Amino acid sequence: MAEKQLTKESQTRTLRSWMLGLHATHIIDIGGRLGYFAELGRHGGAASAQALAAALQLDPWRTEVWCRAACTVGVLGYEDDKGFVFAPFMAELLGEESPELLTSHVLASLSRDFPAYPEAFRTGATKTFHEHDADFFFHQSRIAALRAPEIVAAARKVPGIEACLQAGGRVMDVGSGSGMTIVRFAEEFPTCRVVGIEPLPYFIEYSRRLIQERGVQNRVHVEPIGGERIAFDKEIDLITMVQVFHELPDGAKLEVLRHCQRSLKPGGVLLLVDRCSPDSGADLRDRRFTMSILEQWFEVTWGNIVNTRSEILQMLGDTGFTVTQENADIVPTYWTFVAEKTR
Ligand SMILES: C[S@@+](CC[C@H](N)C(=O)[O-])C[C@H]1O[C@@H](n2cnc3c(N)ncnc32)[C@H](O)[C@@H]1O
C-alpha cells in the first residue's frame, strides 16, 4: 500500500482534529455526568435544551451551550421540528454503562493530573494511584466491571484451568481493586474459592460491599494487604494480576512475584495482564504498544514504571516461573503472560 502523502495542510488538520477530540471528550464526560444523554433518551431521543434543563433542574442557557457544543463535535444533531437529537448510533454508544461513556469519564478524571506535569517534570514530584480522589476510583471500578468477563474468559483458555475451577479450585487476584474480577470468578465457577489482595481502603470497602450484594461471601474474601505480604504457601491454583504489575513500586516487583510463586501449588498458573513498554524503536510503530505507551504517559507522574516485555519475562524467569504463552490478543489492548510455577 502506498504511504499516505503528508503535507503541511494535512498535518495541520490532524493537529486540529486532536484538539477537537480533547473538547469532545470533555463534552461527553460532562454531558454524561449531568445526565443529558440519559434524559434525552427518556425524551425518546429528541428534546429542546429548555426541556432537558427543566427535567434535570439545570441552567437553561448553559444547557443550550452544551447542546450546541455536542452538536458541533457530532455527538448530537439538530432538527428544526424536534430540537436536539442523538447523532446516529450515539444513543447506544453513550448509554450509562457504555464503555465509550465510561472511558471519557476516566480520561477526564485522569486529565486532572496534567496541570501539575510541567512542575512535576522539573522536580520529580509524584502523585501515586492511591493519592487520587474518590471520583477517579469510582470510574476505575466501572471500567473494571467491563474487563472482568474478559479476564475470566482468558483464564478459561489456559489449559487445565477450567476443569480445576469447576472442581472447586482456588483463585487469588492480586490488586483486586473494586472486586469485579473476584466476584465474576465466583459467579462463573460456583464451587471455586477466591481471595482478593488489595491495600487501598476505598477498594477494600467497595469490594466487600459488592461481595455481600452478589451473595458470594461464603467463597470470596478480600485480604487488606499489599502483594508484598501475601502469606499463602502452595495453596492457590490460579493467580490473576490485572493492571497491577506496573503499579507496584519498582523495588517491590520481584518480591510480589516471589510471594505469588510461593502461593501457587506446583504447576499452578499466574495470569499476568498488563502493559509493556517498547523494547525498540520499531515497537514505537507497532500498534500493539499504543495503549502501553499512553498508559506510561498518563501515569508518568504517579511513580509507575511500565516495564518492557523482555524485562517482565526476565523477572518471571528469575522468580521461578516458566512463561508458556504470551501475546497481545488474549485480553484486547493488554499484554498477557501465562506463567507456570516450575520449581
Ligand atoms: C489499576 S488498578 C487495577 C485493579 C484491578 N486489578 C482491575 O483490573 O480493575 C491497580 C490496583 O493495584 C493495587 N495495588 C497497588 N499497590 C499494590 C500492592 N503493593 N499490592 C497489591 N495491589 C496493589 C491498587 O490498590 C489497585 O487496586
Side-chain angles (χ1 to χ4, degrees):
M1 204 166 61
E3 285 276 317
K4 201 173 118 198
Q5 187 66 38
L6 297 177
T7 62
K8 186 173 170 191
E9 287 69 30
S10 74
Q11 295 290 63
T12 305
R13 278 196 302 278
T14 301
L15 285 174
R16 289 188 180 160
S17 74
W18 289 335
M19 290 172 207
L20 207 58
L22 174 71
H23 284 299
T25 300
H26 285 287
I27 289 164
I28 292 168
D29 169 55
I30 291 164
R33 288 171 191 260
L34 290 174
Y36 287 139
F37 298 121
E39 194 55 38
L40 194 58
R42 282 192 285 276
H43 280 74
S48 66
Q50 287 75 9
L52 292 178
L56 294 166
Q57 299 187 319
L58 293 167
D59 181 76
W61 162 240
R62 291 176 185 198
T63 299
E64 176 85 35
V65 169
W66 178 86
C67 289
R68 289 179 194 162
C71 252
T72 211
V73 296
V75 169
L76 299 186
Y78 183 80
E79 294 179 18
D80 284 335
D81 53 336
K82 292 183 177 164
F84 292 101
V85 296
F86 281 111
F89 306 108
M90 289 296 177
E92 180 193 340
L93 289 171
L94 299 174
E96 273 301 281
E97 296 301 321
S98 155
E100 309 311 320
L101 182 67
L102 299 184
T103 300
S104 77
H105 291 338
V106 168
L107 285 179
S109 61
L110 282 173
S111 70
R112 286 186 215 122
D113 290 345
F114 293 142
Y117 265 44
E119 188 59 12
F121 272 57
R122 285 185 201 106
T123 62
T126 56
K127 174 184 175 187
T128 66
F129 180 96
H130 287 179
E131 287 168 328
H132 285 73
D133 61 12
D135 177 75
F136 170 81
F137 298 141
F138 174 66
H139 287 107
Q140 289 279 331
S141 311
R142 297 182 76 196
I143 284 280
L146 303 172
R147 202 163 44 221
E150 295 176 348
I151 302 305
V152 179
R156 281 182 188 277
K157 289 189 192 137
V158 177
I161 288 297
E162 185 155 19
C164 168
L165 299 189
Q166 270 161 359
R170 256 184 121 176
V171 182
M172 175 164 77
D173 187 33
V174 178
S176 50
S178 51
M180 299 296 173
T181 303
I182 53 179
V183 165
R184 185 83 191 195
F185 269 111
E187 289 176 340
E188 291 203 23
F189 296 98
T191 59
C192 81
R193 286 175 300 150
V194 193
V195 56
I197 304 294
E198 176 53 51
L200 181 69
Y202 179 98
F203 281 151
I204 295 164
E205 220 176 278
Y206 191 106
S207 51
R208 286 183 171 162
R209 222 174 24 244
L210 182 75
I211 290 166
Q212 292 290 330
E213 276 166 22
R214 301 283 187 91
V216 288
Q217 62 275 17
N218 54 340
R219 292 183 294 117
V220 185
H221 77 281
V222 175
E223 296 206 356
I225 55 171
E228 303 86 333
R229 292 182 47 219
I230 298 170
F232 294 105
D233 193 352
K234 300 190 191 74
E235 293 164 78
I236 306 289
D237 297 287
L238 171 70
I239 299 177
T240 49
M241 199 188 317
V242 182
Q243 272 278 68
V244 172
F245 194 66
H246 73 266
E247 301 279 351
L248 301 172
D250 234 27
K253 286 174 176 164
L254 282 172
E255 196 186 344
V256 172
L257 286 182
R258 275 190 212 104
H259 280 80
C260 289
Q261 203 267 3
R262 198 186 60 190
S263 305
L264 285 171
K265 294 177 187 167
V269 168
L270 165 66
L271 192 68
L272 194 155
V273 181
D274 213 286
R275 307 294 191 188
C276 287
S277 281
D279 266 306
S280 68
D283 287 349
L284 289 173
R285 291 183 295 277
D286 183 334
R287 304 311 291 173
R288 292 175 303 170
F289 290 97
T290 300
M291 275 316 298
S292 297
I293 294 168
L294 289 179
E295 182 121 9
Q296 179 65 88
W297 156 247
F298 60 67
E299 296 186 5
V300 66
T301 61
W302 302 8
N304 291 351
I305 307 275
V306 177
N307 292 105
T308 65
R309 202 186 127 259
S310 44
E311 285 167 346
I312 295 176
L313 288 170
Q314 177 80 42
M315 285 189 264
L316 287 167
D318 289 349
T319 50
F321 287 102
T322 298
V323 174
T324 55
Q325 245 193 87
E326 49 122 356
N327 71 51
D329 305 321
I330 302 178
V331 180
T333 83
Y334 292 93
W335 220 281
T336 300
F337 299 86
V338 180
E340 214 174 282
K341 172 170 175 158
T342 43
R343 59 167 196 249

